[in-house]
Amino acid sequence: MKIPLCFIAAAAVAVLAPAGCDPIAEPQLCGQIPQGGCPVGRGGTCDDAACRALYDCLEGAWTEAEACDAAGEPAGDRDAGAGGGPGACEVVTLDRSGEAAGCSPALQQPDCPADAAETCVGTACWTGCIDFFLCTEEGWRAIAYCDEQGRVTVAP
């Protein structure tokens, strides 16, 4: 029995048609991790005395993955945070001169918009971003990056 060529072609189209590419979703950034938290995705561990809990960045929100036992330092020292003591947030300040809107193509992880870098120098890289870009009239311009220590460095 001979199978008609048109039947084989129709079967091939039916099999291959649903195999189209899904668009890549925009990354959902979590922003600053909760005070005393460490990111699991960036090597956070309860062995680190500064970690009171481990967090995962899931769908744009920090989710506690594991609570850590009491650290070896007094809780008052760990809670200094924004007060300027140990663990204070050094805010990333970027030069946004020439900023525009509507750049394309859209950035894909690990490239992220400049907004994602403007948190704390020591925590902005915990989102999975490596390079940060500013949309300008000429297109995307690299404005900052995560260094080998996992801290945001402003590009020259």
Side-chain angles (χ1 to χ4, degrees):
M1 171 176 201
K2 204 172 199 179
I3 300 175
L5 186 56
C6 64
F7 178 76
I8 294 173
V13 168
V15 169
L16 295 176
C21 295
D22 291 333
I24 296 176
E26 282 287 317
Q28 292 182 339
L29 305 177
C30 288
Q32 187 171 345
I33 197 164
Q35 184 69 30
C38 296
V40 173
R42 288 290 221 177
T45 172
C46 284
D47 292 335
D48 184 339
C51 300
R52 289 186 292 190
L54 303 179
Y55 288 85
D56 270 332
C57 180
L58 300 172
E59 298 178 7
W62 287 110
T63 303
E64 187 173 320
E66 179 180 348
C68 298
D69 291 339
E73 63 185 270
D77 289 344
R78 285 194 313 254
D79 289 322
C89 175
E90 179 186 343
V91 178
V92 177
T93 304
L94 300 174
D95 176 11
R96 290 176 160 267
S97 59
E99 184 172 14
C103 285
S104 63
L107 296 173
Q108 295 181 8
Q109 194 104 11
D111 296 336
C112 296
D115 294 345
E118 291 184 316
T119 60
C120 296
V121 169
T123 60
C125 295
W126 294 352
T127 61
C129 298
I130 294 176
D131 295 306
F132 303 93
F133 293 85
L134 184 69
C135 179
T136 67
E137 292 293 329
E138 293 80 37
W140 291 109
R141 177 175 49 117
I143 194 165
Y145 61 92
C146 293
D147 65 16
E148 292 179 7
Q149 289 76 40
R151 296 175 53 91
V152 171
T153 300
V154 178

